[in-house]
Amino acid sequence: MKRLKMKKYNGASVLLKSLLCQNVEIIFGYPGGAIMPIYDALYDYSDSLKHILTRHEQGAIHAAEGYARVTGKTGVCFATSGPGATNLLTGIADAMLDSVPIVCITGQVSSNLLGTDAFQEANIISLTTSITKWNFQITKANEIPYAVAKAFFIAQNGRPGPVLLDITKDAQFEFMEYVKESFFFEKNKKWHPFFNANDIKKAAELIQQAKKPYMLVGHGVSIANAEKELLEFAEKTDIPVACTLLGLSAFPCDHSLYVGMLGMHGNYGANILTNEADLIIAIGMRFDDRVTGNLNTYAKQAKIIHIEIDPTEINKNVFCDVPLVGDAKNILKLLLPEVRNNKHNLWMQEFRKCYEKEYHSIIKNEFFPNDNQNLKMAQVINCLSELTNGSAVIVTDVGQHQMSAARYYKFKTKNSMITSGGLGTMGFALPAAIGAKFGAKDREVIAIIGDGGFQMNIQELGVIMQEKIPVKIIILNNSFLGMVRQWQELFFENRLSFTHMQNPDFIQIVKGYGIKAKKAVNKEQLEEYMREMILSKESYFLEVSVEKEENIFPMIPSGAGVSDVRLS
């Protein structure tokens, strides 16, 4: 029987067909010589694949992160070889630490030039081995379908994370037959984590016996889409809930069981009462150092149940009595019928007393400062929270403004906090907000950025201009690298070494990109311009002049324990 001759496509087209098979809708990228065949093929796919031209490769991967975080889908970014590929490194490391599914596709010099130090050749496979879940260099067109399918499978399954595919230029030009079936990788395989079923009953027994149980909620709850199960579990057991920085919005901030944010600048009670709890239930969090402080003094009195999908995180930092390795949603579903209704009124009162102490020591003065001429970050965030009713997608950069946003925005809608947690990447917010807006077109997306971080990727304003993206931007301008300055003041004898910033006229710069811009210097202007910003159907930039040398408290000093949290 004569075999039917199938149509052949070059590797670049096969790549795009492979991405379509993974239901990719949007790509963030920047073209260059070694990836030019892919961009040439992309010319014919404009109806099915939307490409967003960022102004820097770091902007591309942060935008892909923002899109992935708000949608739960895998973000995709393109970059060329050499400097294009190396400009992705910060974003790849960021995605790895924060468990964000990303597929990065880089062009590479032709395979016959590999290892010759050819123009714009960089060994991106070696460079990214430690910061990806998987990476692979493609040198033949027929490797593309399987590699792409495998990349998406690895990025999405288990603990999500970044994957990189490096495709040589000759592989992009090489022709091959298109067989659609080969574009699927283990399509029937599902993630089946292992844990001892008896541990569910053991965990339930510890929960029933506890007098001071405490739930610590991380980003894994949102990744698993387990917010509903978490709420049901908390309400049935009457256990107080605190969130990590990345766990914010996984539990509604206006709920009576919510006791605040954990961590170095988290709430007083949320931190100090960790060392009073007799049971800690950690869900989708990894006990990182910003949450635990000094491990030698962390929660030594408590039994610990750790619900975590990544088995390598179990007992890595904190020993747990009951490890439950798996998806947070599934495990909470299994736990829910095993626990009884309970009440912990006296325990909750301890958190309320701590909040009263924090309110009178810190919060009251930040919301209602004596000097009405100097706006504080907390005032800005509180105003934003009230005007948006806690329903906006908040994307922050890194620094004092990030901690203020985390502390004072009252998240009422799930999957609403997007920030760089593990790596602490300045320059993250602006491109991440762009990606988030593409993923959440019907939601208000607001970037909150410091004057330092804003200037790290300020060029991405060009994307907002070109694509007419209705993202909102708030700059909290104190003319300092604020968090570094705070540490210098508190721990380096106030020797303010290279943290003061002489900034440009942001309003003029932003207007140059065709974006409406206002500057608020007092409370009246803040409320007026913020209302105007929220009502705007287009992009809007609001610069707010805030107190120059404001400090963010509470604070756990570096190397100290959670019981050493400072109120001043």
Side-chain angles (χ1 to χ4, degrees):
M1 185 176 176
K2 188 176 180 180
R3 182 175 178 268
L4 292 174
K5 190 173 182 180
M6 300 188 69
K7 186 176 180 180
K8 289 188 175 183
Y9 297 86
N10 66 13
S13 294
V14 169
L15 172 72
L16 301 181
K17 290 179 180 294
S18 300
L19 294 178
L20 287 172
C21 281
Q22 298 298 325
N23 300 314
V24 172
E25 299 172 335
I26 188 167
I27 300 160
F28 303 91
Y30 202 97
I35 200 170
M36 206 171 291
I38 291 173
Y39 272 86
D40 180 67
L42 194 57
Y43 188 87
D44 296 323
Y45 284 78
S46 58
D47 292 338
S48 50
L49 286 170
K50 185 175 182 65
H51 179 275
I52 303 301
L53 175 65
T54 58
R55 299 308 189 258
H56 191 282
E57 291 87 357
Q58 186 178 352
I61 189 164
H62 288 330
E65 284 187 274
Y67 175 82
R69 287 279 296 273
V70 82
T71 62
K73 300 176 182 178
T74 298
V76 179
C77 63
F78 285 175
T80 194
S81 65
T86 58
N87 281 342
L88 296 178
L89 290 177
T90 296
I92 294 172
D94 191 271
M96 187 70 171
L97 283 171
D98 286 352
S99 305
V100 183
I102 301 288
V103 171
C104 304
I105 295 169
T106 55
Q108 185 55 275
V109 300
S110 293
S111 54
N112 66 306
L113 295 176
L114 290 173
T116 68
D117 295 329
F119 177 67
Q120 290 195 334
E121 181 192 2
N123 189 344
I124 197 65
I125 296 299
S126 294
L127 287 167
T128 58
T129 296
S130 65
I131 55 172
T132 54
K133 287 185 71 178
W134 180 65
N135 63 14
F136 182 68
Q137 187 170 76
I138 296 170
T139 59
K140 298 289 184 183
N142 62 11
E143 296 172 332
I144 292 173
Y146 182 82
V148 169
K150 183 175 181 178
F152 276 83
F153 179 81
I154 291 173
Q156 294 165 342
N157 282 270
R159 179 179 177 177
V163 169
L164 181 135
L165 295 177
D166 191 45
I167 310 179
T168 61
K169 200 168 184 178
D170 52 323
Q172 298 171 48
F173 278 124
E174 185 182 6
F175 278 79
M176 63 170 284
E177 290 184 346
Y178 169 58
V179 182
K180 188 173 183 179
E181 286 69 25
S182 69
F183 288 69
F184 295 94
F185 175 78
E186 301 189 37
K187 60 182 178 180
N188 296 319
K189 184 174 180 179
K190 294 182 179 179
W191 179 256
H192 291 295
F194 172 81
F195 62 89
N196 190 332
N198 291 328
D199 283 344
I200 291 289
K201 293 190 179 296
K202 185 177 178 181
E205 289 173 5
L206 288 177
I207 292 167
Q208 293 305 140
Q209 294 166 5
K211 302 299 182 185
K212 294 183 176 183
Y214 191 17
M215 257 195 287
L216 312 183
V217 171
H219 187 206
V221 169
S222 296
I223 292 173
N225 195 26
E227 292 91 350
K228 177 176 176 288
E229 290 74 16
L230 172 66
L231 183 62
E232 289 178 4
F233 183 77
E235 289 181 339
K236 185 174 183 179
T237 58
D238 198 47
I239 297 177
V241 176
C243 292
T244 66
L245 176 64
L246 290 182
L248 291 172
S249 79
F251 196 84
C253 288
D254 58 348
H255 197 283
S256 60
L257 289 171
Y258 181 70
V259 297
M261 183 178 73
L262 299 161
M264 181 172 280
H265 292 284
N267 292 98
Y268 180 67
N271 279 310
I272 203 166
L273 292 179
T274 303
N275 281 358
E276 299 293 329
D278 58 7
L279 175 67
I280 288 176
I281 308 167
I283 310 176
M285 55 88 74
R286 56 188 177 88
F287 289 112
D288 71 281
D289 61 295
R290 284 297 171 106
V291 166
T292 65
N294 188 342
L295 285 169
N296 293 324
T297 61
Y298 181 77
K300 295 302 179 183
Q301 77 295 334
K303 297 285 186 182
I304 293 178
I305 299 168
H306 195 180
I307 300 172
E308 169 60 48
I309 200 165
D310 184 354
T312 66
E313 293 294 342
I314 300 295
N315 296 328
K316 186 175 83 173
N317 295 326
V318 174
F319 175 80
C320 68
D321 297 272
V322 183
L324 297 173
V325 180
D327 178 85
K329 188 183 189 79
N330 293 335
I331 291 175
L332 286 171
K333 281 182 176 179
L334 292 171
L335 269 174
L336 197 57
E338 298 293 331
V339 295
R340 299 190 299 273
N341 291 309
N342 212 333
K343 285 291 178 186
H344 298 287
N345 295 329
L346 293 177
W347 177 224
M348 280 300 304
Q349 284 179 21
E350 293 190 40
F351 284 97
R352 295 187 186 104
K353 288 177 183 176
C354 286
Y355 177 79
E356 287 298 313
K357 185 174 182 179
E358 181 180 346
Y359 179 83
H360 289 290
S361 299
I362 299 171
I363 300 171
K364 183 178 178 181
N365 297 327
E366 294 194 328
F367 282 5
F368 311 105
N370 293 326
D371 183 357
N372 291 323
Q373 297 306 307
N374 296 320
L375 287 167
K376 288 182 173 284
M377 294 184 185
Q379 288 179 284
V380 181
I381 304 302
N382 186 53
C383 180
L384 178 66
S385 184
E386 289 181 352
L387 291 177
T388 58
N389 195 33
S391 62
V393 176
I394 301 298
V395 186
T396 84
D397 218 80
V398 174
Q400 287 184 319
H401 69 278
Q402 176 192 34
M403 294 298 102
S404 191
R407 283 176 52 77
Y408 296 120
Y409 194 85
K410 303 302 180 187
F411 296 95
K412 297 179 182 178
T413 305
K414 69 178 185 176
N415 205 22
S416 296
M417 176 56 157
I418 299 175
T419 192
S420 172
L423 199 64
T425 305
M426 291 178 69
F428 171 86
L430 183 58
I434 290 169
K437 187 60 182 178
F438 277 108
K441 294 179 180 178
D442 297 331
R443 297 187 65 187
E444 195 74 81
V445 176
I446 302 172
I448 301 172
I449 316 176
D451 48 303
F454 179 53
Q455 293 178 83
M456 285 195 168
N457 273 317
I458 194 171
Q459 75 284 340
E460 300 307 322
L461 291 172
V463 183
I464 296 174
M465 175 180 65
Q466 184 168 340
E467 297 291 336
K468 297 178 174 55
I469 306 165
V471 69
K472 313 297 173 59
I473 305 162
I474 298 174
I475 301 299
L476 300 184
N477 187 355
N478 58 12
S479 298
F480 271 105
L481 296 175
M483 189 60 80
V484 183
R485 183 211 55 76
Q486 177 171 335
W487 279 56
Q488 288 175 339
E489 176 188 329
L490 297 176
F491 308 116
F492 292 87
E493 299 178 340
N494 204 30
R495 290 159 59 88
L496 305 185
S497 180
F498 300 101
T499 46
H500 178 262
M501 301 190 76
Q502 182 176 342
N503 290 320
D505 187 334
F506 291 134
I507 300 299
Q508 289 298 103
I509 291 173
V510 173
K511 284 183 176 179
Y513 284 96
I515 298 170
K516 188 171 184 178
K518 293 284 184 74
K519 182 175 182 177
V521 298
N522 56 50
K523 188 177 179 182
E524 291 70 27
Q525 289 178 334
L526 173 66
E527 293 179 357
E528 178 187 349
Y529 297 159
M530 194 171 283
R531 289 181 189 277
E532 187 177 289
M533 178 192 76
I534 292 167
L535 291 172
S536 176
K537 300 299 182 184
E538 300 175 343
S539 57
Y540 193 109
F541 178 92
L542 176 59
E543 178 185 354
V544 184
S545 293
V546 295
E547 187 173 318
K548 286 184 178 293
E549 297 189 37
E550 177 184 357
N551 289 333
I552 303 295
F553 286 104
M555 181 179 185
I556 302 172
S558 181
V562 290
S563 296
D564 301 316
V565 59
R566 292 173 51 172
L567 291 171
S568 63

